[in-house]
Amino acid sequence: MSGELTASAQPVLDLSRLPRHVAVIMDGNGRWARARGMPRTAGHRAGADRLEELVRTAAEIGLPILTVFAFSTENWRRSPGEVQALFRLAEELLRDKLDEFHREGVRLAILGDRTRLPVSLQREIQRAEAVTAANQRLRLNIALNYGGRADILQAVRRLAEEVKQGELDPADINEEVFASRLYTAGLPDPDLLIRTGGELRLSNFLLWPLAYTEIWVTDRHWPDFGRQEFLAALADYQQRQRRFGRVESNS
Ligand code: FPP
């Protein structure tokens, strides 16, 4: 696909200047459900439908990398029923949508500590990652049992172990070396973070990679976040001036 797409609100999205990597905090499922007198799990189910739509849109417009926050290391504090429902949804998504994602050229990867996930979910993850490993159109990272601090800690532990084994000189540890031990190894940092549900915080998502990321927040709850608003967020991003600590070139 090439050319321009008009999002519901101006400005116009230029498909030749898409961000490389967009991260999404899909918040507000519970509030969406409560407002409709439905259980929280119904909100998550509606959220899973939105995630599928987002993946289709991202693949269609040619976005290279999408990273979504599906379950944080803090989400274990929710009721066992809600935690189970979320894992079941993740499993269904990986099982039932795998063929479609594969056909669309989506490469799936899970970020986070998968060893604590249900064994049946771990099996679906393994299968989805293996089947889609060579796909190149869209890289879809699903953060599951992921925490930014936990990621930094596991990277530190790995580096310490390498130093202890005599494989690494501490003087050689720089930003690149450190980033290569994170779950996000090999990925460029997100250019844009989208957060639905209106909260103005990072919630322990991708702490290291988000250092210079542009942030876009909407009050809309995740199950109401559709294609038009996604395109509007991307178009808004294209208006931003990213300076990475520099001053503007004309000042
Ligand atoms: C935050 O809403 C959302 C989550 C904790 C889970 C996100 C999950 C999905 C979008 C759907 C399922 C997808 C997979 C792969 C599991 P919240 O429950 O915190 O909402 P609230 O802030 O309104 O309570």
Side-chain angles (χ1 to χ4, degrees):
M1 196 191 233
S2 64
E4 290 181 337
L5 274 183
T6 310
S8 57
Q10 295 297 334
V12 163
L13 177 63
D14 178 353
L15 292 176
S16 69
R17 290 192 306 115
L18 287 176
R20 271 194 306 173
H21 185 177
V22 175
V24 186
I25 299 179
M26 309 180 286
D27 197 18
N29 294 347
R31 279 166 284 167
W32 181 91
R34 194 172 59 228
R36 286 159 182 78
M38 293 155 87
R40 294 179 56 79
T41 48
H44 295 317
R45 184 159 287 283
D49 292 342
R50 280 310 192 201
L51 174 56
E52 278 175 49
E53 182 184 294
L54 178 72
V55 173
R56 274 186 219 111
T57 303
E60 181 194 328
I61 65 174
L63 183 80
I65 307 167
L66 184 64
T67 301
V68 298
F69 207 3
F71 190 88
S72 78
T73 44
E74 289 70 38
N75 287 153
W76 290 102
R77 297 177 189 147
R78 297 186 176 203
S79 74
E82 184 171 346
V83 170
Q84 253 182 25
L86 283 165
F87 291 155
R88 206 175 314 120
L89 277 174
E91 207 173 310
E92 279 175 26
L93 185 83
L94 293 174
R95 195 185 52 228
D96 300 345
K97 300 296 160 191
L98 183 61
D99 284 351
E100 182 190 334
F101 286 167
H102 188 38
R103 260 198 322 277
E104 297 284 333
V106 177
R107 176 180 170 191
L108 268 155
I110 299 299
L111 310 181
D113 179 6
R114 57 187 73 181
T115 60
R116 279 192 67 197
L117 300 176
V119 174
S120 55
L121 176 53
Q122 290 188 41
R123 264 201 304 270
E124 293 301 336
I125 290 171
Q126 243 174 12
R127 196 166 76 94
E129 287 182 336
V131 167
T132 64
N135 291 345
Q136 301 213 345
R137 188 163 171 206
L138 169 68
R139 164 91 180 238
L140 171 63
N141 303 305
I142 302 179
L144 259 183
N145 195 20
Y146 173 90
R149 288 186 174 180
D151 194 7
I152 289 170
L153 279 179
Q154 67 81 28
V156 168
R157 253 182 246 116
R158 281 170 69 178
L159 289 167
E161 193 58 38
E162 290 170 45
V163 169
K164 189 171 148 196
Q165 299 299 328
E167 296 160 6
L168 182 67
D169 181 343
D172 291 334
I173 300 176
N174 55 28
E175 290 192 8
E176 210 182 334
V177 168
F178 186 80
S180 72
R181 269 62 170 187
L182 294 170
Y183 290 124
T184 44
L187 297 171
D189 291 341
D191 302 295
L192 173 67
L193 170 70
I194 294 173
R195 178 165 191 149
T196 62
E199 311 284 2
L200 303 176
R201 52 178 173 254
L202 293 182
S203 298
N204 201 16
F205 192 35
L206 301 174
L207 294 182
W208 175 281
L210 289 177
Y212 283 101
T213 301
E214 297 291 323
I215 301 177
W216 191 88
V217 177
T218 174
D219 284 336
R220 206 170 273 218
H221 296 141
W222 176 251
D224 285 332
F225 184 81
R227 173 187 167 92
Q228 285 308 315
E229 206 168 15
F230 178 52
L231 298 178
L234 298 179
D236 182 78
Y237 165 81
Q238 290 180 336
Q239 307 293 308
R240 308 264 182 109
Q241 272 234 358
R242 302 189 72 193
R243 295 198 292 276
F244 299 97
R246 293 186 297 265
V247 291
E248 274 180 59
S249 49
N250 59 355
S251 58

